Amino acid sequence: MDSTASPSNGSAFVGDERAVRAVVDAVSQAWGDNDAAAFVDHYAEDATAIVPGLALLDRADIRTRMAEAFAAQLKGTRRIHQIRGVRFLDQATAIVTSRSGTAFPGQSAPSDDRWSLATWVLSRRTGRWLIEAYHDCPAA
């Protein structure tokens, strides 16, 4: 279910919702390109990413780990994010929930065991939406 809630008039956040969704799309594109620099360009300097087995505590750490993964086990993969909801806490903070999966080369879609549930926290800094925190866990 795709839903949006805001603390005030829902239409006030329509443009922001498009911009937030564009960040998720850009991260997916960078993953598909195996481009760690483009991937982390959408993360705040002090962002955190929690994924199974790893706590990445800033953009530099995220970039290093993603570059290593894109060169090895994630080479040629695509990341698919099905956004389930976008909620604004205020004009500069958004929470996104998604069902996300990794498709390996030759797969048209992720296998059932490659789907996860994710929470994204984004903030608008200097007019640009950035990922502040990302948390990913296996889907049941």
Side-chain angles (χ1 to χ4, degrees), residues 9-136:
N9 178 353
S11 63
F13 292 98
V14 171
D16 288 325
E17 181 174 349
R18 281 192 215 107
V20 165
R21 287 174 176 269
V23 170
V24 174
D25 290 344
V27 168
S28 294
Q29 180 64 49
W31 182 303
D33 294 340
N34 285 174
D35 185 340
F39 182 87
V40 299
D41 182 54
H42 303 283
Y43 281 78
E45 193 68 38
D46 56 352
T48 57
I50 307 297
V51 296
L54 293 174
L56 309 174
L57 303 178
D58 61 30
R59 183 167 58 190
D61 194 15
I62 296 167
R63 184 189 190 293
T64 298
R65 293 294 186 140
M66 292 308 294
E68 291 168 355
F70 288 154
Q73 73 269 25
L74 296 179
K75 187 173 186 167
T77 62
R78 293 178 297 117
R79 188 76 169 154
I80 298 164
H81 299 289
Q82 299 170 344
I83 294 177
R84 298 293 177 98
V86 177
R87 180 169 55 105
F88 292 91
L89 300 181
D90 55 39
Q91 293 180 349
T93 311
I95 298 173
V96 177
T97 56
S98 66
R99 179 174 182 255
S100 301
T102 303
F104 282 79
Q107 291 182 319
S108 59
S111 59
D112 289 343
D113 64 333
R114 291 292 178 178
W115 285 101
S116 61
L117 301 174
T119 302
W120 313 61
V121 178
L122 289 85
S123 71
R124 184 182 6 227
R125 293 188 184 197
T126 62
R128 181 173 178 229
W129 286 97
L130 294 172
I131 301 164
E132 295 288 344
Y134 176 82
H135 179 261
D136 185 275

